[in-house]
Amino acid sequence: MTKRVAVYPGSFDPFHNGHLDIIKRCHPLFDELIVAVLHNTEKKPLFTPEERVAMISEVLAGYAGCRVETFSGLLVHFMERVGARTTVRGLRAVSDFESEFQMAQMNRRLDPRVETVFLTPKEKYSYLSSRLVKEVYLLGGDLTGLVPEKIIEKLKSRVVVV
Ligand code: PNS
């Protein structure tokens, strides 16, 4: 039987519990799950893509068939390289839908074999975004319960010049 390989792409800067919740939900659905960290040179990231890969890999240790990689360029090209046919994306609210729909349609246009699967996180994470996590962190707010402990540790050990 052909392996069901899925890619969960994103910026993950930083990775938070909403992302982890989506991974917990899609992990049983596929034989292999690749968390793909976008190597985006335009944004000013909190963590380098390599740091993000290391942190997320630590959080996901124990999830069989799950690995973390960086990618740059088109997602569909990365998917072709790793033999994946499914993209997983989280949908938190209706406001996410428009851009997610556009991305899914564009990816289908670029490679008709690619399907996008949308999963919704637990309601308690529906307002959570990396942008807000970053802001709360930079302004000294408490991220307990919103970000995996391992990542909170990394955030605390980081001196940020603002
Ligand atoms: O976490 P994000 O920032 O919402 O993730 C966006 C991501 C990485 C999924 C998206 O920007 C992406 O796939 N970028 C790769 C470039 C690409 O393939 N673009 C064309 C299809 S939309």
Side-chain angles (χ1 to χ4, degrees):
M1 203 180 81
T2 327
K3 262 190 178 178
R4 291 162 309 174
V5 184
V7 167
Y8 179 40
S11 307
F12 305 115
D13 188 42
F15 186 83
H16 55 65
N17 283 344
H19 297 132
L20 183 58
D21 187 80
I22 295 294
I23 290 172
K24 284 181 181 168
R25 284 167 203 284
C26 66
H27 179 247
L29 306 178
F30 300 98
D31 301 308
E32 244 179 66
L33 177 67
I34 303 160
V35 179
V37 177
L38 179 68
H39 207 297
N40 188 348
T41 47
E42 283 165 49
K43 282 186 190 169
K44 228 184 157 195
L46 191 56
F47 293 107
T48 66
E50 292 72 24
E51 285 173 321
R52 279 175 259 163
V53 167
M55 284 187 274
I56 302 168
S57 302
E58 238 187 274
V59 173
L60 299 180
Y63 283 73
C66 194
R67 66 177 196 272
V68 189
E69 290 185 21
T70 57
F71 81 103
S72 52
L74 285 178
L75 177 64
V76 291
H77 290 165
F78 174 75
M79 291 177 69
E80 176 69 27
R81 275 203 302 282
V82 297
R85 291 277 182 270
T86 311
T87 309
V88 174
R89 291 288 287 170
L91 266 188
R92 290 165 298 192
V94 177
S95 51
D96 281 341
F97 181 76
E98 198 170 336
S99 59
E100 292 299 333
F101 183 74
Q102 285 178 344
M103 270 200 275
Q105 298 289 77
M106 179 55 84
N107 284 331
R108 180 182 285 165
R109 169 72 173 72
L110 294 169
D111 186 341
R113 298 167 302 174
V114 163
E115 289 296 348
T116 304
V117 168
F118 296 106
L119 296 175
T120 55
K122 262 189 195 133
E123 305 77 67
K124 66 175 177 176
Y125 301 132
S126 60
Y127 64 93
L128 202 49
S129 70
S130 293
R131 187 183 63 80
L132 281 185
V133 166
K134 224 181 282 191
E135 187 170 314
V136 170
Y137 159 66
L138 292 171
L139 298 174
D142 182 10
L143 291 169
T144 309
L146 300 179
V147 175
E149 279 303 319
K150 283 183 198 303
I151 292 186
I152 293 184
E153 283 164 27
K154 305 277 182 207
L155 282 165
K156 283 183 179 161
S157 67
R158 167 142 303 205
V159 179
V160 178
V161 182
V162 276

